[in-house]
Amino acid sequence: MPSSRTHTAIASLSLKHFDAVQVSTPVPSEGQVLIKVAYAAMIAFDTYINDLGYHATFPMIFGFNASGTVAEVGPGIDDLQVGDKARVTAFTFRNSEAKGMQEYTLQTRSVVAKVPDFVSLEAAAAVPDNFITAFNSLFNPQYLGLPYPISFPAPESPPLADVPILVYGAGSTTGHYAVQLLHSAGYKNIIVTASPKHHEYLRSLGATHTFDYNSPTLIEDINSVVTTSKIGKLELVLDCITAQTTLAAISKVVSSQGTVAVLLPLKMGSNVRSNEDDTMWLEIPDSLNPLPTGTRLAGVRTFLFEEVPYLKDNLMTRILPSLLDKKVIEPTKIRLLDEAYGPLKDRVEVGLDLLRNNKVSGEKVIVKVS
Ligand SMILES: NC(=O)c1ccc[n+]([C@@H]2O[C@H](COP(=O)([O-])OP(=O)(O)OC[C@H]3O[C@@H](n4cnc5c(N)ncnc54)[C@H](OP(=O)(O)O)[C@@H]3O)[C@@H](O)[C@H]2O)c1
C-alpha cells in the first residue's frame, strides 16, 4: 500500500517540454488494480506525443508498459494477491493515471498479466504492448484473421500451416512476438525481413526465410520462396513498421486477393519515427496506398483490442501468463536505463533521444522507475 497519497511521475507538460511532477495516488475501485511500478517501457509513441503533439492532451505521463508488484486491488479482483511477491506486467495505454512512467499506476484487470518467477520484471516490461499487437494483428478477424489457436504449442497443424506469411520489419518487438506466436501456432512458412544481424535469432524463434530489407534483390528474394502459394504472391502480410517504403516493398509481393495488416499510423519515409514536419496518417489516403487494387489494407489499432470480448477476457489475464510460463513467448532484449543514467527524468530523456533518432534496433527501451 502506498505510504503517501502522492507520487512522482514523468509527464509531457506541453509540446517538447517534460518534467518530473507530483500526482495524487489513486485508490482502486471496482475491478481495478494499483501497481507499484518497478520498470516502464518507452516506445516511439512517447516521442509522437512529446515531440509532435500527436494525439496529445497535455499534461500526459509517459510509458506504455509497466511491470511491478500489486500494491492494492479494488472490489471484484480475486485472482491477484497484494504484496512484493505479486509480480505483474501491464499495458499502460489509457489516461495519465494509467500510464507507466510513474511510481504507481492504476489499471483494469484486463490489461494486467501475472509474471512467472523466472522472468525478471525488467524483461516483463518489454512484453505487453507488442505482444498484444502481434496477437491482435494475427488472430483478430478484423486484421489477418488466422484462427485463434486452441492452445500453444498447437496440438495439430492449422488449416493454413503451409501458406507463406510475411512479417515485414521483424527486427521490431512486434515482429519478434509475431514470429514466436506463428511458430508456436504451427505455421511453417514464416518469411521475415530484418537487418542481417537479427537473422539467426529470428530463425531460432521460428522464421523459415530471413531477408535483409535493404537488399537490392529483396523483392526477387521474397518472390523466389513464395512457391507454395497458388498464385505465386503473398496473401498474408504483417507490416510491423508501416512507412511509405515498407508499404511500397510489400505492394510488389502481395496478391490482389491478399490482406496486409499495418501498424498505424502510416509514417512518411522509411522510419518508425519520421521527420518532425511529416504528417502521420491514422487513415491511409488512397494516394498513399500503393497496394494492388483488391488487396485488403487492415489498419491495426491495438488501443481498441478490448472491443473484442475474447481478447479482453483472455489475452492478458490468461494467455500471456501461460505463454510466458511455457516459454512460448520469450521477452525481447532490453536497453535498460537505470541509475547509471541519472535520476528518473534523465533516464526518460535518454530514452526519448534513442527513439526520436531511430536508434532502437531489436530491443525495447526500459526505464527503471523505482
Ligand atoms: N496501430 C497499432 O496498434 C500499433 C501497435 C504497435 C506499434 N505501432 C506502430 O508501429 C511502429 C513500430 O513500433 P514498434 O514499437 O513496434 O517499433 P520498434 O520495435 O521500436 O522497431 C524498431 C525496429 O524497426 C525496424 N525497422 C525500422 N525501419 C524499418 C524498415 N524501413 N524496414 C524494416 N524494418 C525497419 C528496425 O529493424 P532492424 O533492427 O532490423 O533494422 C528496428 O529494430 C510505430 O510507428 C508504432 O507506433 C502501432
Side-chain angles (χ1 to χ4, degrees), residues 43-45 48 130 133 168-169 171-174 194-195 197-198 213 240-241 245-246 263-265 267 270-272 300-302 360-362:
I43 60 173
F45 214 106
Y48 300 168
N130 298 116
T133 302
Y168 199 102
S172 66
T173 312
T174 300
S195 294
K197 64 181 175 183
H198 303 312
Y213 62 85
C240 297
I241 309 304
T245 58
T246 65
L263 301 192
L264 296 170
K267 281 74 64 183
S270 63
N271 289 318
V272 169
V300 177
R301 295 186 186 199
T302 298
V360 175
S361 173

Side-chain angles (χ1 to χ4, degrees), residues 12 188 234 249 254 315 338 361:
S12 193
K188 299 186 177 71
L234 287 156
V254 71
L315 195 49
D338 57 12
S361 173

Side-chain angles (χ1 to χ4, degrees), residues 37-42 65-67 101 120-126 332-344 346-352 354-355 359-370:
V37 177
Y39 298 92
M42 297 186 71
N65 292 333
S67 64
M101 200 63 70
S120 70
L121 281 179
E122 51 266 51
T332 49
K333 281 191 227 151
I334 62 168
R335 170 88 67 110
L336 182 61
L337 305 176
D338 57 12
E339 297 89 343
Y341 293 82
L344 188 52
D346 293 6
R347 300 172 208 169
V348 171
E349 178 70 68
V350 174
L352 278 176
L354 288 168
L355 290 157
K359 290 276 185 329
V360 175
S361 173
E363 59 192 4
K364 192 91 173 166
V365 176
I366 303 296
V367 173
K368 185 174 182 194
V369 174
S370 55

Side-chain angles (χ1 to χ4, degrees), residues 218-295:
L218 176 66
I219 305 305
E220 294 87 326
D221 294 344
I222 294 176
N223 282 333
S224 73
V225 297
V226 185
T227 49
T228 51
S229 158
K230 283 182 291 217
I231 41 184
K233 292 259 179 182
L234 287 156
E235 294 184 48
L236 294 166
V237 180
L238 170 57
D239 183 351
C240 297
I241 309 304
T242 310
Q244 271 182 309
T245 58
T246 65
L247 268 189
I250 290 166
S251 73
K252 299 186 180 125
V253 294
V254 71
S255 150
S256 58
Q257 292 152 49
T259 299
V260 181
V262 294
L263 301 192
L264 296 170
L266 170 69
K267 281 74 64 183
M268 307 305 279
S270 63
N271 289 318
V272 169
R273 167 59 205 274
S274 53
N275 296 327
E276 282 204 1
D277 300 335
D278 289 337
T279 306
M280 291 192 291
W281 305 86
L282 208 45
E283 303 281 342
I284 300 180
D286 289 347
S287 59
L288 292 176
N289 177 358
L291 300 178
T293 306
T295 306

Side-chain angles (χ1 to χ4, degrees), residues 59-71:
M60 206 168 209
I61 294 172
F62 289 102
F64 282 84
N65 292 333
S67 64
T69 52
V70 178

Side-chain angles (χ1 to χ4, degrees), residues 292-351:
T293 306
T295 306
R296 187 164 77 90
L297 183 65
V300 177
R301 295 186 186 199
T302 298
F303 292 163
L304 305 181
F305 87 99
E306 291 164 299
E307 288 183 359
V308 180
Y310 173 74
L311 297 180
K312 180 179 181 187
D313 295 342
N314 294 287
L315 195 49
M316 290 295 279
T317 54
R318 294 171 215 274
I319 297 174
L320 179 58
S322 152
L323 297 191
L324 286 172
D325 206 38
K326 290 193 256 184
K327 301 187 179 171
V328 166
I329 288 291
E330 189 179 291
T332 49
K333 281 191 227 151
I334 62 168
R335 170 88 67 110
L336 182 61
L337 305 176
D338 57 12
E339 297 89 343
Y341 293 82
L344 188 52
K345 184 184 168 189
D346 293 6
R347 300 172 208 169
V348 171
E349 178 70 68
V350 174

